Amino acid sequence: MNETFIINQLGEDREKYFNAVAPPVLQTSNFAYRTVDEFAEAVANEKDIPIYTRGNNPTVNMLAEKIAALEGAEDCLMVGSGAAAITNAVMSQVNAGDHIVSVREPYTWAAHLMTGILPRFRVETTFVDGTRIENIENAINERTRLIYLESPNSWTFEMQDLAAVSELAKKKQITTVVDNSYCTALCQRPIDLGIDLVIYSATKYYNGHSDVVVGAICGSKEKIASIFRNEFMTFGNILAPQSAWLMLRSLRTLPIRLKRSSETTRRVLEFLRNSQKIEGIWYPFDEQNTQIELARRQMKMPMGLFTIALKTRDVAAIKRFCETLEYFLIAVSWGGYESLIMPKCAFVSADDPRVSMIRCYIGLEEPDVLIADLERALVTLPN
Ligand SMILES: *Cc1c(COP(=O)(O)O)cnc(C)c1O
């Protein structure tokens, strides 16, 4: 199946809804049956037949079918946020007494799950530098059930060799999960590399319009069915039909949005590299990145999120730089149509060595407009 077929055709049964080009939003909590037998069959197959929207809704299912196909996964569950994707996926794989090996500094709330919540259920986590497979291998013990990956991470972009980690994990019968939010399936397909569960904040690139919070979990039929019966139905972090419909709308333009963001990022980085006011750039495809070979092997294209460090450590100057930018909004998140900056100085004290780091996301604006915006703001910085 090619991407265009998946995005434009797959799962769209237009004859069922008056040949409407855009699918309907089935804004209903409940589904009624004419006979008891039909009702009983639905109850017995709640994953596949709609009886109640916490479990199953056709608008949400259409989206899940497309995401699974894009990922090359057997199945997919859509959930109400990326955080819900993390909690459903991780909690489905561990029991009291188990051990997790995780990349260090994963997404904030993944870290909190593993340091603040799972220890209450006697699940312990060892955090390692995942850029070297030996570190993961050495952290594994006889109780390790899960390896938690995020490649690349979304501040400093360390990567893991996904094929190598999944090979190691399979030998030891350990489940692997990767947060693939940075890439989407159009850039990196972890299932093809042997990873068991792929999770998303689809709030970012997949939805791409900064108007829906949404998550996805992709994996084998067996694993997804188990998550459905247990965590998914119990935790109830569902994606509402209206939000699923918005994301279906967003998917239509996913390839074109990613290409645009990627190409503009290349131009913006060319400009930033020549600036005397900047002392560091973190980006998977940066020539200076020690992991660039892995990026080229594992990722199909450069994406639109990177981090810079300004030369100045003067917080007032850093704030002035950020506030001078007109088109880059000061905000968390990324993946939408609008360019963003997230200054580290909002999170750390003035003497922190990372204080001058600023994460940048390149949206869909005209490249020249963004470059001119940066140029104006860089001028405000001390030499
Ligand atoms: C934003 C983000 C999440 C959390 O997703 P939400 O949709 O905000 O719940 C998880 N992982 C990464 C890498 C993210 O950037």
Side-chain angles (χ1 to χ4, degrees):
M1 264 187 280
N2 65 55
E3 274 161 17
T4 301
F5 176 80
I6 295 167
I7 289 171
N8 287 6
Q9 308 286 348
L10 181 69
E12 320 233 1
D13 208 347
R14 297 191 169 107
E15 285 176 8
K16 274 196 185 155
Y17 39 85
F18 310 102
N19 296 310
V21 171
V25 191
L26 287 175
Q27 188 66 45
T28 181
S29 60
N30 221 354
F31 296 84
Y33 286 84
R34 268 187 326 113
T35 69
V36 174
D37 283 351
E38 284 170 341
F39 182 52
E41 196 199 332
V43 169
N45 296 285
E46 191 166 8
K47 168 104 180 39
D48 302 310
I49 306 177
I51 62 168
Y52 188 61
T53 284
R54 173 152 44 77
N56 193 316
N57 177 286
T59 307
V60 181
N61 291 351
M62 185 187 289
L63 177 61
E65 188 179 351
K66 285 179 192 284
I67 298 295
L70 286 173
E71 296 294 329
E74 286 175 6
D75 211 346
C76 167
L77 284 170
M78 298 307 302
V79 287
S81 67
I86 295 166
T87 46
N88 277 273
V90 170
M91 294 191 73
S92 69
Q93 300 305 312
V94 291
N95 294 303
D98 287 349
H99 173 249
I100 299 172
V101 176
S102 169
V103 289
R104 73 175 180 209
E105 293 180 41
Y107 177 70
T108 314
W109 300 103
H112 186 71
L113 173 67
M114 291 184 267
T115 57
I117 294 178
L118 289 180
R120 296 190 344 228
F121 304 93
R122 287 196 301 111
V123 175
E124 302 297 332
T125 303
T126 305
F127 295 92
V128 300
D129 171 2
T131 59
R132 292 167 58 90
I133 183 116
E134 305 89 278
N135 297 339
I136 295 177
E137 187 158 18
N138 293 337
I140 292 173
N141 64 40
E142 69 283 358
R143 294 177 296 112
T144 307
R145 289 287 169 274
L146 185 68
I147 299 177
Y148 186 91
L149 307 167
E150 192 180 306
S151 187
N153 106 339
S154 61
W155 255 104
T156 41
F157 312 106
E158 288 87 2
M159 287 169 268
Q160 302 95 54
D161 184 331
L162 297 179
V165 176
S166 60
E167 195 187 356
L168 168 71
K170 277 189 170 53
K171 258 189 250 153
K172 301 191 181 261
Q173 295 182 311
I174 299 169
T175 302
T176 45
V177 53
V178 64
D179 182 334
N180 202 38
S181 303
Y182 183 88
C183 288
T184 79
L186 271 57
C187 169
Q188 174 168 285
R189 297 220 315 181
I191 301 266
D192 294 347
L193 303 173
I195 297 293
D196 296 308
L197 289 169
V198 182
I199 53 178
Y200 280 100
S201 170
T203 312
K204 312 293 163 59
Y205 276 127
Y206 267 129
N207 184 62
H209 290 70
S210 308
D211 50 14
V212 176
V213 176
V214 42
I217 310 165
C218 301
S220 67
K221 275 228 168 310
E222 192 190 342
K223 278 208 158 48
I224 295 294
S226 167
I227 295 172
F228 177 82
R229 279 194 309 275
N230 294 289
E231 291 75 20
F232 182 85
M233 287 303 291
T234 310
F235 296 164
N237 313 115
I238 67 158
L239 181 65
Q242 179 73 37
S243 299
W245 184 88
L246 280 165
M247 188 170 144
L248 278 167
R249 182 279 325 264
S250 298
L251 266 193
R252 315 291 191 194
T253 56
L254 179 67
I256 199 170
R257 287 189 281 110
L258 296 190
K259 268 187 209 135
R260 168 78 171 193
S261 170
S262 177
E263 177 53 24
T264 308
T265 302
R266 188 183 61 74
R267 287 196 45 199
V268 168
L269 281 171
E270 247 169 47
F271 166 77
L272 290 175
R273 268 189 210 106
N274 291 322
S275 169
Q276 301 305 309
K277 309 279 180 78
I278 289 175
E279 75 175 10
I281 293 178
W282 289 260
Y283 188 57
F285 282 81
D286 193 81
E287 293 296 337
Q288 312 292 315
N289 181 9
T290 53
Q291 291 191 293
I292 190 166
E293 284 312 315
L294 178 61
R296 289 193 176 124
R297 175 152 48 88
Q298 199 162 265
M299 294 164 65
K300 284 186 210 143
M301 63 174 144
M303 304 299 277
L305 191 67
F306 60 88
T307 298
I308 58 174
L310 302 178
K311 261 195 192 130
T312 183
R313 292 281 186 284
D314 174 7
V315 172
I318 297 167
K319 287 182 184 166
R320 192 168 59 236
F321 170 81
C322 295
E323 291 163 11
T324 302
L325 289 165
E326 238 180 272
Y327 291 93
F328 289 83
L329 311 180
I330 301 169
V332 297
S333 196
W334 44 278
Y337 59 90
E338 76 291 14
S339 292
L340 302 171
I341 49 165
M342 181 150 90
K344 199 76 174 177
C345 66
F347 299 85
V348 301
S349 62
D351 56 0
D352 190 292
R354 300 165 298 173
V355 73
S356 76
M357 288 170 81
I358 300 174
R359 191 177 77 180
C360 307
Y361 166 70
I362 302 299
L364 307 180
E365 302 90 340
E366 281 300 327
D368 292 341
V369 169
L370 295 180
I371 289 169
D373 203 21
L374 287 163
E375 204 163 16
R376 261 181 349 103
L378 284 168
V379 168
T380 68
L381 292 172
N383 282 312

